[in-house]
């Protein structure tokens, strides 16, 4: 039996200040687990996962976790240009991380152009608020910011898994919708959107393929 392992590949990048929770959110989404101790990302890390959008199309998400520290910015910039979506990540208990979101968004737009990326505004560490840590970014101002820039916004917790799946699913669905309405197309030389891969058996080969792809991708932008 010949099945499509995935119909499309979408390349997404997670950006935001250091220690806001990008790596933890990605690890929960791809591995279903939370680590109490997480070392800061050095440069860029790679993750991947297969999901389905609403009409049943299989999408491979190629996910790039970037370092937030200034000294790594020259390394991570090359990963912008081949991305079709960006998660703008901040810590709901860290006001500075939210105030820096416009800078991250502007940088992403500058490097992804001429393509128009799908952005999502993602608040992390909601579990800390539930356990008594003061919230420094109010829900109201996040809604106002999202309306101003026409962004999807969501609050998450990598510790509990709250909304971790939805944060990525909504971005994937929006990208797929733009393909369907003709706004996005597969383009030679651009890895933001790539056509699918056909395998003999989706269920037995997809993770092996993703592992091989991760090894290959770790050597290039």
């Amino acid at each position: 039996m010949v099945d499509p392992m995935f119909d499309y590949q979408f390349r997404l990048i997670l950006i935001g200040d250091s220690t806001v929770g990008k790596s933890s959110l990605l690890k929960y989404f791809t591995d279903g687990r939370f680590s109490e101790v997480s070392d800061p990302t050095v440069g860029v890390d790679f993750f991947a996962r297969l999901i389905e959008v609403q009409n049943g199309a299989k999408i491979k998400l190629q996910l790039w976790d970037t370092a937030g520290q200034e000294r790594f910015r020259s390394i991570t910039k090359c990963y912008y240009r081949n991305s079709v979506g960006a998660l703008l990540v901040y810590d709901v208990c860290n006001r500075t991380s939210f105030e820096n979101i416009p800078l991250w968004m502007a940088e992403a737009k500058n490097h992804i152009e001429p393509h128009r990326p799908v952005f999502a505004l993602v608040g992390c560490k909601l579990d800390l608020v539930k356990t008594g840590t003061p919230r420094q970014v109010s829900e109201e101002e996040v809604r106002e910011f999202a309306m101003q820039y026409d962004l999807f916004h969501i609050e998450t917790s990598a510790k509990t898994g709250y909304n971790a799946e939805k944060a990525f699913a909504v971005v994937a669905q929006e990208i797929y919708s733009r393909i369907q309405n003709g706004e996005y197309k597969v383009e030679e030389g651009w890895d933001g959107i790539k056509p699918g891969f056909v395998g003999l058996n989706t269920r037995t080969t997809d993770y092996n393929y993703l592992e091989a792809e991760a090894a290959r991708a770790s050597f290039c932008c």
Side-chain angles (χ1 to χ4, degrees):
M1 179 178 180
V2 177
D3 292 329
M5 289 181 61
F6 52 87
D7 297 286
Y8 290 100
Q9 173 185 287
F10 300 158
R11 185 165 173 170
L12 310 181
I13 189 168
L14 275 75
I15 53 179
D17 287 3
S18 180
T19 72
V20 294
K22 299 187 296 294
S23 299
S24 294
L25 183 64
L26 266 173
K27 287 175 183 176
Y28 190 93
F29 177 64
T30 54
D31 297 339
R33 60 186 177 85
F34 173 76
S35 177
E36 293 288 349
V37 179
S38 181
D39 295 329
T41 301
V42 177
V44 177
D45 282 341
F46 172 88
F47 296 80
R49 183 180 153 184
L50 291 174
I51 67 169
E52 288 189 8
V53 291
Q54 288 179 1
N55 74 340
K58 296 180 177 68
I59 306 297
K60 174 191 168 186
L61 297 182
Q62 194 180 78
L63 306 160
W64 299 89
D65 178 21
T66 65
Q69 299 98 321
E70 181 66 32
R71 67 181 182 274
F72 295 121
R73 299 288 275 277
S74 61
I75 299 174
T76 61
K77 283 179 181 178
C78 72
Y79 289 87
Y80 283 109
R81 67 174 177 265
N82 279 318
S83 298
V84 67
L87 277 68
L88 305 164
V89 185
Y90 68 96
D91 176 352
V92 298
C93 300
N94 181 335
R95 178 147 199 89
T96 301
S97 70
F98 178 72
E99 292 175 343
N100 286 338
I101 288 296
L103 301 177
W104 287 105
M105 185 164 56
E107 183 172 279
K109 285 181 177 179
N110 181 51
H111 290 286
I112 296 175
E113 288 181 347
H115 303 285
R116 186 172 74 91
V118 172
F119 284 114
L121 181 62
V122 181
C124 285
K125 305 187 182 181
L126 190 61
D127 55 281
L128 295 181
V129 177
K130 304 293 186 182
T131 56
T133 301
R135 173 192 281 272
Q136 294 187 9
V137 184
S138 72
E139 294 177 80
E140 181 179 357
E141 63 184 318
V142 172
R143 283 194 296 270
E144 290 177 354
F145 183 91
M147 288 181 62
Q148 178 182 352
Y149 291 98
D150 192 25
L151 303 174
F152 168 75
H153 67 94
I154 192 169
E155 292 185 340
T156 68
S157 167
K159 187 169 186 177
T160 66
Y162 179 72
N163 276 342
E165 188 91 11
K166 187 176 180 181
F168 295 91
V170 170
V171 174
Q173 183 65 54
E174 176 61 22
I175 295 168
Y176 183 76
S177 296
R178 293 187 186 185
I179 294 174
Q180 296 300 103
N181 67 27
E183 181 177 347
Y184 284 163
K185 298 178 181 178
V186 176
E187 299 180 19
E188 185 71 26
W190 182 54
D191 288 341
I193 299 172
K194 296 179 73 174
F197 180 87
V198 177
L200 295 178
N201 189 308
T202 301
R203 294 184 180 277
T204 59
T205 61
D206 54 2
Y207 290 106
N208 290 335
Y209 177 80
L210 292 181
E211 288 175 2
E213 187 75 353
R216 181 199 64 76
S218 65
F219 292 100
C220 65
C221 290

